[in-house]
Amino acid sequence: MVRHFRQFGTLLAALAVFPTWAAAQQGRITGRVTDATTQTPVPSAQVVVVGTTRGAISRADGSYTIDGVKPGQVRVRAQRIGYASSTDTATVTGGGSATVNFALKQTAVQIDQVVVTATGQTERRRESGASIGFVNVDSTIKQAAVQNFSNVLSARIPGVTVQSSGGTAGTGARIRIRGSNSVSLSNDPLLIVDGIRVDNDANATTIGVGGQTPSRFDDIDPDNIASIEVLKGPAATALYGTSASNGVIRVTTKRGRPGTTRWSAHAEYGTVNEETQFPANFTQIGTTLDTTLTGVVGDATQCLTIDIAAGHCSAANLRSFNPIEVHSPFIQGWQEQYGVSAAGGGQNTTYYLSGNFNRNQGIYDPNKVRKVDLRANLHSQLADNFDVTVTTGYLQSRVAFPQNDNNTDGIISEGLLGQSVDDSVKFGYLSTKPENLFQLDTKQDLERFTGGITANWEPLSWLSANGIAGIDYSSRYDQFFIAPGVIPTSLSLNENQGQRQSNPNSIWDYTANGNVTATFGLTPALTSATSGGVQYERQLLHGTQAFGQDIVAGTSSLNGATSLFAVGENTQDVITIGGYVQERLSWRDRVIGNVGLRADRNSAFGVNFGYVYYPNASLSWVIGEEPWFPQNKWVSSLRLRSAFGVSGQKPNFRDAITFYQPVAVAAQTGEVGGITIGGTGNTDLKPEKSSEYEMGFDAGFLNDRATLQMTYYNKTTRDALVARPLPPSLGGSQSQFVNLGKVKNDGLEGILHADVVNTQPVGFDITFNGSILHNKLIDLGEVNGTPIPPIIFGLGANTQRHTNGYPLGGYWQKPILGFADKNGDGIIGADEVTVGDTATFLGSPFPKYELSITPRVTLFKYVELSGLFDYRGGYKLYNGTEDFRCRVFANCRALNDPTAPLAEQARAVADFVDGTQAGYIEDAAFWKLRELSVTLTAPNSWSKRAGLSGLSLTLAGRNLHTWTNYTGFDPEVNEAGQANFTTADFLTQPPVRYYTARINVNW
């Protein structure tokens, strides 16, 4: 027994000594990273031992340390955003230390910037032939009045269009990458956070408030983002498979770095301002000449300009009143943000912890947003060839919305459709005062957790593997309540009796990926990297919807409902399983080619359809590094690239299956349960497939003081889902989805950046990024030799169409061919406007041309001025607000004031008489001063005296001015929120103006 204890003690001693002995056999690499031009330290640079997962992040003074390096000759690479990477060699001895210093050269081309691939591994930009957009999030947040994730993306990446819906706090934006691909399915991009697929529903609510809806895109806190990469099309997204034809947005959250804990904090406060000039309501009281009048207001005769021109009445008294301006429903809004983070750790384990609090009071009293965001990220180097990263994020969100847009309870609509006189009961509003509408309580409560784990393992020098697993879970509670007696019976009898809706929803997104890569040097100049892997995704939604009316006074619960109680349940479950292989060949790290193939099976496919295949290929040639390339300052760097790829879009849940709906059937003994066909499925249904090729170049001029990136792309979507009509005689649903359509998008994108002045006291740089997009529906397809007719929709169900040969969602109306005041009376009559006989194409609701200009001035390193000018053109917007005021309520100026501009009279007359809205479909081109800011940074000596490592103050404004010929409130609004195509300015709250002050503190 004693002998066994001695042996066990010897073993314990050996185990205790082994780590120390093993560490003594390993070496250390130290060094410093500096700017090649200024010789100043470069913090936050990534320094890695090539071929391993060992690495470090440079400190504030540029120094770094990498422990646990195996003895021998190794290659070390340093890289940071905004700089060209640099690689050097070092000889490491057991227990010894090697020194490698780096002097990085600034560049905007960033061909060696590291990006994350679809496999969860990393690659340098030079290794991909596809265009990848990138946003420098830190500078964006610090230099702009950024409220959400959509603001970060807006006008910063060519080919990415962010169209705000309106000025309601908490509402989302419509995001499109290289146009719209699908007629029937979503055109929103895929969203990936730390390798995990997350919910990206842009219309995330089950209770409407007229049009504005929250978007799950904006759940991401910009202060926690380290980088945003945008893969713009199938050429770059093929390995993402059946979810990626609309592009992919990849978000990487912040990580810790070795060293003492570094704290950062920020505090921001700002005002939210309504700056729109709303129009007055008009009524022309006239003298009756005969009895054929158009309208009557109260006891007084309304004499419209049409009637005056026709001689039915004469103008006597023009009344006008502006209830929105006189009895304003608006308040001074405000927003505040507070956050703190800590990052640090040792050589083997690092951490990042943060907490952020955000509140936004909109310009209406009931419009409020409150968010609490917590994040904890941990990275551990468990062995020289094995590391694990754990990312976790929790969001609590509370949003309360006002009523507006296409809504009988809308606050703005009550004013714009109201009276031309003031009164003591309704204050000139249509049916009730805003304070009554403020009692309509619409809320969304959200609890969201996103967590994942990523493991990297290199068992052999030529073999690496990684795995990613995670979950994104949201508990969303949509609710609505009206107390009895709040809403006047003249507006809505049902609402006057009180209503309650309670809709809890649970949404799960699961991700599990596994990948391996084998890398070989086939020859001294040729390297091969072969990858393969499998991916699993599951999207699960479960929700219930409950409604009740005639609420008992004193309660806000469904238990207080006494009539019309109804309940429903919704469950969706979609699973994707995919696998891929990819081969990369690199010739002297200058000519790099990729070819790959992904195969997917999805539960939303028809039962008769099996796997779908997505090929991809790309070529990148860093021609500027060829020995024979002319070395001069005029063209200092050049890369040529091209790519081809195919990716897809799965059908919606239940599109491929026939399902039934319950109905009540009358029988002799009373009603009994029965079923009817709820949807006619298509067993052959398959995914839409988008194929794209692109080509372009990245060039640097004047020693890279000016850089230019240009890309041409051509994308075609085939097998687009179209709802074909079914004969009523079948006794089923009215339509069935079939893969019939074909859509094309092609365009040009470019970024030009120039360091105009680069001196110590003064610096000035400017960036232009722009794009041109052509979108066209090639074909809706045909059934049994009969073409599918144009799909007509939009506000009023007739303003927009999907028509072969034209952009998707284009505006169509009978055109106004001309007008003239023939008799010279200053009034346009019904016989003085000429309207076409058939509807024609008037324009697209999506911008064709986009350009943003970002100038930046730096003074003495302590003052930085920055701006963002945003242009969008080549598109139209339906001014439904003014159309509705004239056509339905006849309270607009054009139909009441004989001195109104003739063009305004003509469009009103054409609509009133001939039923065409063509005059209200207006050119929506605009220039907007999107952002303007000044940042004051304290000198290092001041910060050190306060015990800080950094201190800055930023003053910023957003939506400061708009230049446009559009006559509506704002050319960006959309009453349908983030709808796929439906677009109109209809009684919508326009964008608001922000002024903010932000303090950033580091220690």
Side-chain angles (χ1 to χ4, degrees):
M1 179 68 69
V2 174
R3 179 169 58 86
H4 289 303
F5 273 111
R6 286 175 179 173
Q7 291 175 341
F8 184 67
T10 302
L11 177 60
L12 289 178
L15 291 174
V17 170
F18 179 78
T20 304
W21 175 83
Q25 306 310 304
Q26 296 174 335
R28 167 183 292 182
I29 298 176
T30 63
R32 194 162 179 260
V33 184
T34 59
D35 186 294
T37 302
T38 64
Q39 286 77 54
T40 56
V42 176
S44 301
Q46 290 181 310
V47 187
V48 296
V49 178
V50 179
T52 76
T53 61
R54 286 282 178 188
I57 304 294
S58 63
R59 307 177 183 94
D61 63 354
S63 64
Y64 73 91
T65 302
I66 305 176
D67 285 320
V69 182
K70 289 183 178 180
Q73 190 175 66
V74 297
R75 298 175 66 218
V76 187
R77 177 180 295 134
Q79 55 211 8
R80 194 190 190 286
I81 297 171
Y83 292 86
S85 68
S86 178
T87 304
D88 204 349
T89 59
T91 301
V92 179
T93 60
S97 178
T99 300
V100 181
N101 295 319
F102 295 96
L104 301 185
K105 184 178 179 181
Q106 292 192 35
T107 175
V109 175
Q110 302 177 7
I111 63 173
D112 286 323
Q113 178 184 333
V114 172
V115 296
V116 181
T117 68
T119 68
Q121 298 167 315
T122 60
E123 67 179 8
R124 293 168 296 156
R125 275 191 172 184
R126 71 162 62 212
E127 294 172 331
S128 172
S131 172
I132 299 176
F134 185 83
V135 178
N136 189 335
V137 183
D138 275 342
S139 64
T140 299
I141 294 174
K142 293 175 182 177
Q143 297 171 5
V146 170
Q147 278 69 53
N148 51 46
F149 182 68
S150 299
N151 290 165
V152 176
L153 288 178
S154 182
R156 303 188 199 280
I157 302 175
V160 179
T161 302
V162 180
Q163 291 180 287
S164 67
S165 302
T168 301
T171 194
R174 184 161 57 188
I175 301 175
R176 295 291 180 267
I177 300 177
R178 290 183 175 175
S180 298
N181 305 307
S182 180
V183 175
S184 306
L185 301 178
S186 169
N187 285 286
D188 296 324
L190 178 65
L191 182 59
I192 304 291
V193 178
D194 293 326
I196 305 301
R197 174 170 180 161
V198 301
D199 181 15
N200 64 338
D201 188 355
N203 290 281
T205 184
T206 55
I207 297 176
V209 292
Q212 304 303 292
T213 59
S215 171
R216 295 282 74 90
F217 278 100
D218 290 334
D219 288 347
I220 303 172
D221 189 339
D223 280 289
N224 281 327
I225 298 176
S227 65
I228 299 175
E229 300 162 12
V230 178
L231 284 68
K232 300 179 184 179
T237 64
L239 289 187
Y240 283 94
T242 313
S243 300
S245 61
N246 299 323
V248 177
I249 299 176
R250 292 189 304 220
V251 174
T252 301
T253 58
K254 293 180 179 179
R255 305 288 192 267
R257 57 189 182 192
T260 58
T261 300
R262 286 167 292 279
W263 293 85
S264 296
H266 70 269
E268 180 176 310
Y269 185 84
T271 61
V272 183
N273 308 275
E274 166 49 56
E275 302 289 345
T276 305
Q277 297 296 315
F278 292 91
N281 302 324
F282 292 84
T283 303
Q284 179 66 250
I285 304 301
T287 301
T288 304
L289 300 180
D290 60 37
T291 59
T292 56
L293 294 173
T294 305
V296 174
V297 177
D299 296 328
T301 300
Q302 182 178 14
C303 179
L304 300 182
T305 55
I306 306 175
D307 296 319
I308 297 173
H312 299 315
C313 62
S314 62
N317 178 27
L318 180 64
R319 301 189 316 199
S320 68
F321 180 67
N322 196 324
I324 294 179
E325 298 293 340
V326 177
H327 302 294
S328 174
F330 307 117
I331 62 173
Q332 174 69 67
W334 50 268
Q335 68 98 21
E336 60 182 354
Q337 296 184 42
Y338 308 98
V340 62
S341 65
Q347 286 299 316
N348 291 327
T349 302
T350 58
Y351 57 85
Y352 172 80
L353 307 171
S354 75
N356 295 300
F357 175 76
N358 180 302
R359 278 200 306 175
N360 191 334
Q361 169 62 65
I363 57 174
Y364 302 97
D365 182 68
N367 186 202
K368 298 177 173 65
V369 178
R370 190 197 64 163
K371 293 183 179 181
V372 176
D373 191 280
L374 304 175
R375 176 156 292 277
N377 292 343
L378 178 71
H379 174 265
S380 183
Q381 189 80 44
L382 300 179
D384 181 61
N385 63 348
F386 185 68
D387 70 271
V388 174
T389 300
V390 178
T391 59
T392 59
Y394 167 77
L395 170 70
Q396 181 190 80
S397 173
R398 302 288 184 264
V399 181
F401 281 106
Q403 305 287 317
N404 261 323
D405 306 285
N406 193 357
N407 190 339
T408 56
D409 299 328
I411 299 168
I412 290 180
S413 59
E414 280 288 306
L416 293 173
L417 307 178
Q419 309 302 320
S420 59
V421 294
D422 199 355
D423 66 274
S424 59
V425 178
K426 295 179 290 188
F427 295 167
Y429 285 83
L430 177 63
S431 302
T432 187
K433 296 178 291 186
E435 62 189 61
N436 291 330
L437 298 176
F438 288 168
Q439 305 305 308
L440 277 66
D441 188 12
T442 307
K443 295 180 179 178
Q444 181 178 95
D445 297 343
L446 178 75
E447 314 289 332
R448 184 171 186 176
F449 172 81
T450 304
I453 181 169
T454 301
N456 298 294
W457 181 39
E458 297 192 2
L460 302 170
S461 60
W462 52 271
L463 182 66
S464 64
N466 80 312
I468 302 173
I471 182 174
D472 176 46
Y473 169 72
S474 297
S475 174
R476 195 185 79 207
Y477 183 24
D478 302 328
Q479 52 184 316
F480 175 58
F481 174 69
I482 310 175
V486 170
I487 301 299
T489 55
S490 60
L491 183 62
S492 173
L493 178 62
N494 293 335
E495 291 178 346
N496 177 262
Q497 298 169 344
Q499 293 182 359
R500 170 66 172 169
Q501 281 182 269
S502 177
N503 302 348
N505 299 270
S506 295
I507 303 102
W508 293 266
D509 278 87
Y510 299 94
T511 301
N513 302 333
N515 312 279
V516 295
T517 299
T519 305
F520 298 96
L522 302 179
T523 71
L526 183 63
T527 301
S528 166
T530 305
S531 301
V534 294
Q535 298 177 348
Y536 169 88
E537 293 176 351
R538 183 183 184 188
Q539 298 169 277
L540 177 64
L541 179 148
H542 180 263
T544 56
Q545 302 85 40
F547 175 85
Q549 191 173 287
D550 295 341
I551 307 297
V552 175
T555 180
S556 61
S557 170
L558 276 169
N559 286 332
T562 61
S563 68
L564 296 181
F565 186 81
V567 64
E569 187 173 15
N570 179 28
T571 300
Q572 299 183 22
D573 193 358
V574 179
I575 297 174
T576 303
I577 298 176
Y580 79 94
V581 292
Q582 179 171 270
E583 173 65 25
R584 171 179 297 151
L585 294 174
S586 175
W587 175 261
R588 300 187 185 278
D589 202 31
R590 292 193 290 269
V591 181
I592 303 167
N594 294 272
V595 61
L597 179 68
R598 171 163 173 154
D600 273 1
R601 185 75 175 94
N602 187 278
S603 60
F605 297 167
V607 294
N608 293 338
F609 184 78
Y611 279 85
V612 60
Y613 298 93
Y614 304 111
N616 73 89
S618 73
L619 181 66
S620 174
W621 184 14
V622 188
I623 190 173
E625 294 182 4
E626 294 290 357
W628 46 263
F629 188 81
Q631 301 298 313
N632 60 74
K633 67 177 183 178
W634 302 108
V635 181
S636 44
S637 61
L638 180 62
R639 177 171 78 116
L640 307 179
R641 48 184 168 78
S642 63
F644 169 81
V646 180
S647 58
Q649 175 90 305
K650 65 181 181 297
N652 289 318
F653 180 70
R654 295 202 305 187
D655 283 349
I657 61 175
T658 298
F659 60 93
Y660 301 92
Q661 300 278 28
V663 294
V665 180
Q668 291 182 348
T669 58
E671 289 188 345
V672 297
I675 59 172
T676 184
I677 295 178
T680 303
N682 178 358
T683 56
D684 296 321
L685 203 63
K686 54 188 176 182
E688 299 183 348
K689 292 178 69 174
S690 296
S691 60
E692 178 187 65
Y693 67 85
E694 67 172 53
M695 58 188 67
F697 66 87
D698 308 330
F701 307 96
L702 301 174
N703 294 323
D704 285 354
R705 286 189 60 178
T707 59
L708 176 64
Q709 302 176 46
M710 295 294 296
T711 303
Y712 169 77
Y713 65 91
N714 191 304
K715 177 171 56 174
T716 302
T717 299
R718 295 175 174 83
D719 299 326
L721 267 65
V722 176
R724 70 170 179 182
L726 294 178
S729 58
L730 294 178
S733 56
Q734 297 180 350
S735 62
Q736 178 190 50
F737 279 111
V738 185
N739 297 100
L740 296 174
K742 183 178 179 181
V743 179
K744 181 180 179 181
N745 290 276
D746 66 280
L748 189 66
E749 302 166 350
I751 304 176
L752 174 63
H753 174 82
D755 289 320
V756 182
V757 179
N758 189 5
T759 63
Q760 281 292 346
V762 179
F764 172 64
D765 64 80
I766 189 168
T767 302
F768 301 85
N769 86 57
S771 62
I772 302 173
L773 167 67
H774 300 93
N775 171 263
K776 182 187 292 187
L777 173 61
I778 303 298
D779 191 8
L780 276 175
E782 59 182 40
V783 177
N784 299 325
T786 302
I788 298 291
I791 300 173
I792 302 175
F793 61 98
L795 187 64
N798 61 0
T799 55
Q800 293 180 256
R801 298 185 183 184
H802 298 320
T803 301
N804 292 345
Y806 293 91
L808 288 169
Y811 291 115
W812 290 72
Q813 286 289 289
K814 292 189 294 183
I816 299 175
L817 302 177
F819 65 90
D821 180 16
K822 299 176 183 178
N823 59 11
D825 63 356
I827 301 174
I828 298 297
D831 60 346
E832 295 178 322
V833 179
T834 305
V835 175
D837 296 328
T838 58
T840 61
F841 173 70
L842 300 180
S844 169
F846 300 98
K848 180 179 181 180
Y849 308 105
E850 296 191 59
L851 174 66
S852 69
I853 305 174
T854 309
R856 185 177 58 170
V857 177
T858 304
L859 305 174
F860 302 99
K861 298 187 299 184
Y862 305 124
V863 180
E864 184 173 310
L865 303 172
S866 179
L868 175 60
F869 294 88
D870 186 11
Y871 168 78
R872 300 181 192 182
Y875 76 114
K876 300 290 184 71
L877 179 62
Y878 172 37
N879 186 353
T881 298
E882 193 65 9
D883 174 27
F884 199 61
R885 279 162 47 86
C886 289
R887 175 168 47 91
V888 178
F889 283 82
N891 70 344
C892 65
R893 182 189 176 198
L895 285 181
N896 290 278
D897 184 359
T899 66
L902 296 183
E904 292 185 15
Q905 293 187 47
R907 69 179 184 178
V909 169
D911 194 10
F912 210 93
V913 176
D914 296 292
T916 177
Q917 289 87 50
Y920 296 98
I921 297 173
E922 305 181 36
D923 182 5
F926 69 86
W927 274 99
K928 182 165 289 193
L929 178 52
R930 183 78 63 184
E931 297 168 2
L932 184 65
S933 69
V934 55
T935 299
L936 308 175
T937 302
N940 291 335
S941 58
W942 295 10
S943 300
K944 289 180 179 179
R945 289 175 190 172
L948 306 174
S949 59
L951 175 64
S952 67
L953 168 67
T954 297
L955 305 176
R958 185 173 188 82
N959 296 332
L960 297 178
H961 189 74
T962 303
W963 296 269
T964 183
N965 291 325
Y966 178 68
T967 65
F969 299 146
D970 191 280
E972 286 193 283
V973 299
N974 183 23
E975 62 87 18
Q978 293 78 253
N980 215 10
F981 292 102
T982 301
T983 306
D985 174 357
F986 188 58
L987 307 170
T988 303
Q989 171 57 48
V992 292
R993 184 172 299 169
Y994 288 87
Y995 294 105
T996 62
R998 177 184 175 110
I999 296 176
N1000 292 285
V1001 182
N1002 302 308
W1003 69 96

